[in-house]
Amino acid sequence: MADSESSRTLPAITCRKKGSTSSASKTLPLLIDRRNLLPVAAHFLTARLAERGGKERASGPTPVHEMWPRWYACHQQWLQATRRRQRLETEMLEETGGFPVAELRIVGNDQPVVARSFVDIKRLSSQLDPVQLSKARAELRQRRKQWREADERLEYGTAVTREQELEGQAGISGRVMWITRPTSLMEVTAKLHCLIAMHDPGLKFEGAPWPELRTMLKDLIGIAGTCPESCGGLVRTDKAASTRDILALAAQYRNAAVKLGESLPHSNHFPRRLLALHSIELYLNALLLAKGFDHTTIRGREHDLGERTRLAVDAGLVLRKRTAAHLVTLSSGREYFVIRYAPELTATLSEMNRVMATLDELSRKVKKMLGAS
């Protein structure tokens, strides 16, 4: 349930009991400061996310815990490319004596003017005499030749291009990860590490919010290090929302819808319809949970009763064709949205008697199916 305040379809989130930490947390240093914050975070995330490797996940957008290793690998390659480019640049400057530019002395300027191209020299021609112009062009031509010859040996230009490509790839990967919804404390930690590593790699920014963000990353590492890997730093306890609990909650909403209908002067009452739709969703959630779907997958369907029905039918639920079609109509017609947010569209809603008939059939068959299993 994506935005239902009264939903209890998801289990409670708690930390594991004290003393049950993963192997990754045991490698954390006693002191995390500026010098080791990013390396410690990267080492910790690499170890913890590797423990999740090989586990199946539901179809859909790539989760953060799969994005971060790919981004980090690209980020590391970019750092290596940067160091290589810097080393080659130093060698280029030693061989050629400087960048391929010409320095011009212009009357009235205390410092020489740097011309990086013949266009720059032409732009300054009004401030230079013909001899100076000729010398400037010759100097630029000679420096470019030296730079080009050194580049052919050292492949500095190739290193620059590679660095720029990796920087672009890491930037795109990081930005995609930032807008992806996290599903665990570990994924929040990964997103924050990526943000700081890309924008404050030297941990030197003193203006807000950077000191605070660094403190938050350190706190998240400490908290995640004391929680189990099973939910990426969080553990979801089935006792808080078992199949039986969800089934009982669905029955309560159904009973409330039935009683409310008995006391109403007309059948098409929106609060009653909302109770019925919520009960339908809970019955489908209970069935999917019993059939092995995880809470994240179920929650990811939001209020899509049609998709829930498809999954439930694939899992063995047998419904009348009319009932199955109506469940799809409830989603395609966005009845849940209309009831809550768009009263001007209520004329498009299906009949209340049809909604209750669908709920009755679904409740009977789900309870029978779960009772048999």
Side-chain angles (χ1 to χ4, degrees):
M1 303 287 291
D3 57 359
S4 178
E5 295 82 355
S6 59
S7 171
R8 289 184 57 199
T9 61
L10 297 179
I13 298 177
T14 60
C15 280
R16 180 183 279 185
K17 292 181 180 180
K18 191 174 181 180
S20 56
T21 57
S22 72
S23 59
S25 63
K26 296 177 182 178
T27 62
L28 289 177
L30 295 177
L31 177 63
I32 301 178
D33 54 21
R34 278 197 186 188
R35 291 175 298 177
N36 65 358
L37 174 60
L38 290 180
V40 166
H43 176 75
F44 179 72
L45 287 167
T46 299
R48 288 297 292 269
L49 296 180
E51 295 173 1
R52 298 174 62 109
K55 295 185 178 181
E56 295 183 1
R57 66 173 176 87
S59 60
T62 304
V64 173
H65 70 262
E66 291 184 13
M67 289 184 181
W68 184 88
R70 301 172 190 173
W71 164 81
Y72 186 62
C74 184
H75 180 70
Q76 290 297 99
Q77 292 175 8
W78 170 65
L79 292 179
Q80 294 175 4
T82 299
R83 289 192 289 268
R84 182 171 185 272
R85 190 267 305 163
Q86 292 172 342
R87 176 176 57 78
L88 292 177
E89 186 173 292
T90 300
E91 294 182 24
M92 291 280 289
L93 293 174
E94 290 176 353
E95 282 198 25
T96 61
F99 289 103
V101 299
E103 294 185 353
L104 308 177
R105 294 288 179 176
I106 298 179
V107 177
N109 289 355
D110 296 334
Q111 300 294 330
V113 178
V114 176
R116 292 179 171 79
S117 67
F118 292 107
V119 174
D120 292 342
I121 295 175
K122 184 177 181 179
R123 191 181 299 115
L124 298 170
S125 60
S126 61
Q127 305 177 53
L128 301 170
D129 58 45
V131 176
Q132 287 178 305
L133 283 174
S134 178
K135 288 184 177 180
R137 292 191 181 101
E139 179 184 358
L140 180 58
R141 192 175 295 109
Q142 177 63 24
R143 284 187 172 274
R144 282 188 169 184
K145 180 182 178 182
Q146 294 173 343
W147 191 269
R148 188 165 52 251
E149 291 174 350
D151 183 39
E152 290 177 356
R153 292 192 304 273
L154 301 175
E155 297 184 344
Y156 171 75
T158 303
V160 171
T161 301
R162 178 59 175 166
E163 179 190 18
Q164 293 172 347
E165 290 176 350
L166 289 170
E167 183 179 17
Q169 293 173 13
I172 293 173
S173 178
R175 288 190 292 273
V176 171
M177 185 168 24
W178 296 338
I179 64 175
T180 300
R181 176 189 293 180
T183 59
S184 69
L185 181 64
M186 191 60 59
E187 292 189 342
V188 174
T189 307
K191 291 179 66 172
L192 183 56
H193 169 264
C194 173
L195 177 68
I196 297 175
M198 290 185 63
H199 290 283
D200 185 22
L203 304 181
K204 297 178 180 179
F205 292 164
E206 293 298 340
W210 295 104
E212 292 80 4
L213 290 176
R214 292 194 290 266
T215 300
M216 289 172 61
L217 178 59
K218 184 165 61 175
D219 292 340
L220 284 170
I221 295 172
I223 294 172
T226 61
C227 293
E229 177 275 334
S230 57
C231 286
L234 302 179
V235 59
R236 305 176 187 273
T237 57
D238 291 338
K239 293 180 180 179
S242 65
T243 300
R244 181 178 297 179
D245 292 332
I246 298 174
L247 201 60
L249 190 61
Q252 292 177 30
Y253 276 99
R254 177 183 174 277
N255 293 338
V258 171
K259 290 182 179 179
L260 188 58
E262 294 173 352
S263 61
L264 292 175
H266 57 87
S267 59
N268 194 21
H269 192 266
F270 300 138
R272 183 190 183 202
R273 184 185 294 267
L274 182 60
L275 292 172
L277 291 180
H278 192 54
S279 179
I280 289 172
E281 185 171 332
L282 288 171
Y283 274 117
L284 290 171
N285 287 351
L287 177 61
L288 294 177
L289 185 63
K291 292 300 180 179
F293 289 86
D294 59 73
H295 292 285
T296 301
T297 300
I298 297 172
R299 180 177 59 182
R301 272 39 184 190
E302 298 185 346
H303 298 295
D304 192 342
L305 298 180
E307 178 63 14
R308 279 178 168 81
T309 301
R310 183 187 67 80
L311 295 175
V313 170
D314 290 344
L317 178 64
V318 179
L319 296 171
R320 292 186 302 169
K321 291 183 179 180
R322 184 180 182 185
T323 301
H326 183 239
L327 286 167
V328 174
T329 301
L330 291 174
S331 292
S332 61
R334 305 182 69 191
E335 295 205 10
Y336 188 94
F337 172 83
V338 171
I339 296 170
R340 296 194 64 178
Y341 308 113
E344 71 278 8
L345 301 177
T346 52
T348 64
L349 298 174
S350 55
E351 294 183 2
M352 189 66 216
N353 289 340
R354 177 67 258 174
V355 175
M356 293 305 298
T358 296
L359 173 57
D360 289 341
E361 180 182 348
L362 185 65
S363 64
R364 290 196 312 272
K365 292 188 174 179
V366 168
K367 287 188 288 186
K368 181 179 180 180
M369 188 174 176
L370 295 185
S373 61

